[in-house]
Amino acid sequence: MLFRIPFGLSLSISQQDMLHKLYTEYASLMLKAAKSILKDDHKADDALSESFMRVLNNLNTIEHLAPGQVKKYMLIVAKNVCFNMLKKEKGVDNIDELNLSVQSVENDVIGRDGENRVLAIVKSLPDIYRDAIYLNLVLDLSTKETAESLGISTENVRKRVWRGKRMLKEMLKKEGFDYE
């Protein structure tokens, strides 16, 4: 798949080069993220296109990001587009990290009520833990790739994922989920 600049939109050569570079470097990773969230190749392709439309509208923002932050930004854009698509499709107001792959939690969540309660708990995790869990567990990035995306050390990634899981388990226990 190739992203095409919408007809009638004029970009400078440097903006075109930047968009091409972003697409070349991050499209496959963003598509992988979209497929993991949407579970449908065609919807994932649509999400990738929509993601690059948003990127196109925010090129000035991306120009000012540190190199290590661009990857994180691109993944977050793709993730948000996918969640917006799910919200529209399912008519749900609070989808966040729907596909969080914490297996000990995921196996015990049965039924809509349970899912909604877990989603609310996941959403309440501090961003630093939620982002580390999302990149490392959901997108299945290595610890090193997650560290590069977040601009932190690999040891810090391991600590954030571990602490995030621990917090999630404690919060789920308080809500009455038995995950062990």
Side-chain angles (χ1 to χ4, degrees):
M1 182 182 155
L2 182 65
F3 176 74
R4 295 189 183 271
I5 297 171
F7 182 74
L9 184 65
S10 63
L11 297 175
S12 69
I13 299 297
S14 65
Q15 288 175 319
Q16 289 177 24
D17 290 344
M18 182 180 194
L19 191 61
H20 178 58
K21 180 181 177 192
L22 291 170
Y23 187 87
T24 303
E25 288 185 36
Y26 302 112
S28 63
L29 184 61
M30 293 167 73
L31 186 60
K32 180 180 176 182
K35 286 179 182 180
S36 77
I37 294 168
L38 298 171
K39 310 287 190 230
D40 181 286
D41 290 348
H42 298 293
K43 289 179 185 176
D45 287 338
D46 291 344
L48 182 64
S49 293
E50 176 64 26
S51 297
F52 271 93
M53 287 302 298
R54 290 190 185 179
V55 167
L56 178 63
N57 292 328
N58 293 297
L59 281 177
N60 292 335
T61 301
I62 297 168
E63 288 175 351
H64 299 338
L65 292 175
Q69 295 296 323
V70 175
K71 185 176 185 179
K72 179 181 177 183
Y73 178 85
M74 299 298 283
L75 287 171
I76 289 171
V77 168
K79 176 187 79 164
N80 289 341
V81 167
C82 291
F83 289 139
N84 287 339
M85 289 173 72
L86 288 173
K87 285 179 191 178
K88 287 179 185 174
E89 180 181 302
K90 296 185 180 189
V92 177
D93 290 331
N94 64 347
I95 290 183
D96 199 8
E97 279 71 49
L98 182 64
N99 294 316
L100 184 67
S101 297
V102 180
Q103 289 135 5
S104 62
V105 173
E106 190 176 50
N107 293 334
D108 286 274
V109 178
I110 300 172
R112 281 281 192 224
D113 184 48
E115 278 184 32
N116 289 334
R117 287 171 51 206
V118 170
L119 289 173
I121 292 168
V122 169
K123 187 176 182 180
S124 69
L125 284 174
D127 290 344
I128 63 171
Y129 302 121
R130 188 174 53 223
D131 289 346
I133 287 172
Y134 178 79
L135 293 171
N136 189 246
L137 300 178
V138 176
L139 296 182
D140 200 27
L141 295 182
S142 69
T143 303
K144 182 179 178 182
E145 290 171 321
T146 302
E148 290 171 0
S149 295
L150 296 174
I152 60 177
S153 69
T154 56
E155 183 60 28
N156 204 337
V157 169
R158 284 191 279 282
K159 286 179 182 178
R160 287 183 184 187
V161 169
W162 183 81
R163 288 176 183 159
K165 283 181 179 179
R166 188 179 68 194
M167 288 174 71
L168 187 58
K169 287 177 183 179
E170 289 172 10
M171 294 165 85
L172 287 171
K173 265 187 181 178
K174 287 180 184 176
E175 288 292 319
F177 287 93
D178 183 24
Y179 56 85
E180 295 181 300

